[in-house]
């Protein structure tokens, strides 16, 4: 692909993403599944599991905010656009399917990134003052790797949302499999509970965690907020997330192409 | 150069054959109509032409660009107005046009000028800042047309552009389309309103069960039926007619309503005495008898073999002669 074509593709993707931001960020399903649900989960684990450490609460809630926020938007946008046929308007416009779906993915990722940063800021800055978090003592934030981790995790989560929503004709059709997968991932990826504890009674199931991208997001987030950073481990986490994202996006593109045949 | 070329297009949906080796070409500047009953394959063909669906086999070219292999170049050449006006409800008319203009890469100042002109021409200037969700069906359709024209395409595809609209909106849209065609734009529309195609199109194709039955000008198609006259008879009360009784004198009978029938005859004078006898025997009165010249609907019926019930429904839908 020539540079000019790449520039045009990214330009059109950004137009699609900006339109989605304008139209869908404040839709009720985006707010409920993207903002309320991670908060509910946070409080469930804080009140119901007092043994969970503050470090896990912080990284858990940031990971879940990014994960839910980024994956929710596609499950709202794509079925709504299919129902109103505005998705067809975009398909008949002069842009590649790749540019269109990358634009859709980007709007979800930006939603997840924004939520992740808002949650992290609240918990890091305001939390200690309210004394419902106590990580100021153990916090060892590495800003650039932390920002990079949030961005890559959001892209990965949005790609998952894209794949599961790309053929859905209704928001519920997309949300059902997505929520199933999201809850399974939250419980199996060591989000609020360390992996060793999660698989304490059945260690043979532990490899399952490494098949789920959220495990790598959580690990990278934990390294970049509480340290210590193991550079190779962090790099592997991020590379695996990028590979997952590429596979998910290309599978979504193929699914759309297949539906057009 | 041909504006639209459809080369041996076949489309299967599972086991259903939607398009069966369709070949068609439309010249630049032409006003072309694709006629056919519901389910004939009209929308499928327009979806293939606009890159929304891929054909199972065959090729489609838009001003020489292959829709499958050069989709971006092909899509720059046309605008599409689908049957459902797919504009964004939560955006204003203005924002809808701006969004589409950005997608087509139109510079900022130019996009604003074009949008204002289009909204003016389509009678939406007053509602420029209103959210589309407050628009009537006719206004939404006009906005969909404006959105399809924002990049000044050379070809405009319209799928049932006046379907479900009131007479005033339909008339306005027809006038806009005539004007666009006068300025040189190629118009390709699908419709099941036969009179609409007759009024607007320079050439029409009749598509039935996925096959093109005939392509010609409406005048030539009607002329091809000149040997047929039609006699429309209205009785005072509902009745049924045994085709066998009239077999010798007419080539077909279409029941238009319970008491209204159309007889296709070679010589109307020969069947009149029979009709008078028929009415007398059945105790009926003849309320009116009209001789009719062939219209495009007759051509449509001839090629699609549409059943009388369908003809009756179409009769209710179409304008009175």
């Amino acid at each position: 692909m020539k540079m000019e074509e790449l520039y045009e593709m990214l330009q059109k993707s950004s137009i699609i993403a900006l339109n989605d931001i304008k139209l869908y960020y404040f839709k009720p399903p985006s707010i409920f599944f993207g903002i309320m649900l991670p908060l509910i989960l946070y409080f469930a684990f804080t009140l119901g599991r007092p043994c969970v450490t503050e470090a896990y609460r912080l990284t858990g809630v940031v990971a879940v905010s990014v994960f839910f926020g980024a994956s929710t938007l596609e499950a709202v946008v794509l079925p709504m656009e299919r129902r109103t046929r505005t998705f067809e308007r975009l398909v008949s416009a002069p842009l590649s399917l790749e540019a269109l779906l990358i634009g859709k993915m980007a709007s979800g990722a930006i939603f997840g990134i924004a939520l992740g940063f808002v949650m992290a800021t609240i918990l890091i800055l305001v939390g200690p003052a309210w004394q419902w978090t106590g990580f100021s003592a153990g916090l060892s934030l590495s800003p650039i790797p932390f920002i990079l981790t949030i961005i890559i995790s959001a892209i990965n989560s949005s790609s998952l949302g894209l794949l599961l929503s790309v053929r859905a004709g209704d928001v519920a059709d997309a949300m059902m499999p997505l929520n199933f997968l999201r809850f399974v991932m939250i419980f199996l990826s060591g989000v609020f509970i360390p992996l060793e504890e999660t698989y304490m009674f059945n260690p043979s199931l532990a490899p399952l965690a490494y098949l789920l991208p959220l495990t790598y997001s959580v690990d990278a987030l934990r390294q970049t907020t509480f340290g210590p950073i193991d550079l190779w481990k962090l790099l592997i986490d991020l590379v695996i997330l990028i590979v997952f994202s590429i596979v998910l996006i290309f599978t979504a593109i193929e699914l759309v192409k297949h539906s057009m045949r | 150069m041909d504006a639209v070329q459809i080369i041996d297009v076949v489309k299967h949906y599972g086991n259903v054959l939607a398009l069966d080796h369709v070949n068609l070409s439309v010249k630049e500047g032409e006003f072309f109509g694709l006629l056919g009953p519901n389910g004939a394959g009209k929308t499928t063909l327009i979806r293939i032409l606009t890159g929304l669906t891929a054909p199972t086999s065959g090729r489609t070219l838009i001003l020489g660009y292959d829709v499958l292999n050069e989709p971006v170049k092909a899509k720059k050449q046309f605008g599409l107005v689908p049957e459902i006006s797919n504009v964004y409800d939560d955006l204003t008319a203005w924002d809808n046009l701006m969004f589409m203009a950005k997608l087509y890469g139109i510079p900022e100042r130019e996009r604003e000028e074009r949008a204002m002109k289009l909204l003016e021409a389509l009678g939406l200037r007053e509602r420029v800042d209103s959210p589309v969700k407050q628009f009537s069906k006719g206004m939404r359709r006009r906005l969909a047309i404006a959105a399809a024209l924002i990049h000044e395409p050379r070809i405009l595809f319209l799928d049932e552009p006046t379907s479900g609209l009131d007479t005033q909106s339909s008339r306005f849209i027809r006038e806009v389309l005539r004007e666009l065609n006068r300025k040189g734009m190629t118009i390709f529309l699908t419709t099941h309103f036969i009179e609409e195609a007759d009024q607007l199109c320079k050439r029409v194709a009749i598509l039935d069960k996925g096959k093109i039955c005939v392509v010609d000008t409406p005048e030539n198609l009607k002329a091809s039926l000149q040997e047929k006259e039609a006699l429309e008879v209205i009785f005072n009360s509902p009745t049924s007619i045994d085709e066998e009784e009239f077999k010798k004198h007419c080539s077909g009978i279409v029941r238009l309503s319970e008491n209204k029938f159309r007889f296709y005859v070679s010589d109307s004078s020969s069947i009149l005495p029979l009709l008078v006898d028929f009415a007398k025997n059945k105790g009926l009165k003849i309320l009116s008898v009209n001789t009719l010249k062939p219209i495009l609907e007759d051509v449509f019926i001839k090629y699609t073999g549409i059943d009388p019930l369908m003809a009756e429904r179409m009769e209710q839908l179409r304008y009175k002669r």
Side-chain angles (χ1 to χ4, degrees), chain B residues 95-121:
Chain B
D95 288 344
N96 263 290
L97 293 188
M98 288 301 106
F99 172 61
M100 288 314 292
K102 281 181 204 166
L103 275 185
Y104 282 90
I106 299 161
E108 192 173 349
R109 182 174 285 182
E110 207 175 324
R111 78 174 83 118
E112 287 177 0
E113 276 172 22
R114 284 189 198 181
M116 204 42 95
K117 273 186 197 164
L118 281 168
L119 290 169
E120 183 83 54

Side-chain angles (χ1 to χ4, degrees), chain A residues 54-69:
Chain A
E54 292 301 339
Y56 268 85
R57 280 181 207 158
L58 170 75
T59 50
V61 79
V62 173
V64 166
S65 299
V66 173
F67 181 47
F68 267 73

Side-chain angles (χ1 to χ4, degrees), chain B residues 101-303:
Chain B
K102 281 181 204 166
L103 275 185
Y104 282 90
I106 299 161
E108 192 173 349
R109 182 174 285 182
E110 207 175 324
R111 78 174 83 118
E112 287 177 0
E113 276 172 22
R114 284 189 198 181
M116 204 42 95
K117 273 186 197 164
L118 281 168
L119 290 169
E120 183 83 54
L122 287 152
L124 293 169
R125 179 80 190 260
E126 306 292 306
R127 305 297 298 271
V128 64
D129 291 323
S130 304
V132 172
K133 60 183 154 205
Q134 295 173 359
F135 280 20
S136 68
K137 206 171 180 181
M139 288 164 74
R140 290 169 63 90
R141 189 66 51 88
R142 281 184 271 153
L143 182 61
I145 293 175
L149 296 173
I150 192 78
H151 60 293
E152 296 181 347
R154 287 163 71 183
I155 305 168
L156 184 63
F157 289 104
L158 303 106
D159 192 7
E160 305 279 0
T162 59
S163 169
L165 300 187
D166 59 58
T167 313
Q168 199 183 358
S169 295
S170 303
R171 201 172 284 176
F172 182 82
I173 286 173
R174 282 189 201 112
E175 203 39 60
V176 169
L177 297 181
R178 267 195 205 103
E179 186 56 32
L180 289 169
N181 183 245
R182 262 198 291 272
K183 287 178 182 167
M185 189 179 288
T186 309
I187 311 263
F188 186 114
L189 65 81
T190 73
T191 183
H192 62 263
F193 295 134
I194 294 160
E195 187 138 330
E196 181 170 271
D198 201 0
Q199 284 174 11
L200 293 173
C201 301
K202 285 174 192 151
R203 267 193 327 144
V204 295
I206 294 177
L207 185 72
D208 187 38
K209 292 171 191 143
K211 277 187 173 177
I212 297 280
C213 304
V214 65
V215 188
D216 211 332
T217 63
E219 292 71 32
N220 286 348
L221 289 172
K222 284 183 274 186
S224 71
L225 295 184
Q226 274 304 353
E227 75 281 6
K228 278 191 185 176
E229 278 181 45
L231 203 67
E232 216 167 75
V233 183
I234 304 176
F235 298 103
N236 66 331
S237 59
T239 187
S240 57
I241 284 178
D242 180 6
E243 280 198 38
E244 286 298 314
E245 273 186 60
F246 297 91
K247 205 175 164 184
K248 276 186 187 169
H249 302 276
C250 73
S251 56
I253 303 170
V254 174
R255 183 179 185 152
L256 300 170
S257 69
E258 286 179 326
N259 61 336
K260 188 175 178 183
F261 297 85
R262 189 177 296 160
F263 296 80
Y264 292 98
V265 293
S266 47
D267 176 13
S268 54
S269 58
S270 66
I271 200 172
L272 275 170
L274 284 175
L275 280 169
V276 172
D277 288 346
F278 171 81
K280 227 184 241 176
N281 293 340
K282 295 250 179 179
L284 299 166
K285 279 185 181 169
I286 295 175
L287 294 181
S288 78
V289 178
N290 284 317
T291 51
L292 308 168
K293 282 185 180 174
I295 57 167
L296 200 56
E297 184 183 314
D298 300 320
V299 181
F300 183 84
I301 290 169
K302 176 187 164 187
Y303 283 103

Side-chain angles (χ1 to χ4, degrees), chain A residues 2 7 12 23 29 51 57 128 167 190-191 195 212 221 224 234 253:
Chain A
K2 289 178 197 164
Y7 173 73
K12 290 191 172 166
L23 283 171
C51 58
R57 280 181 207 158
R167 298 283 292 268
V191 175
L195 281 177
L212 307 172
L221 270 175
T224 56
L234 180 65
I253 291 168

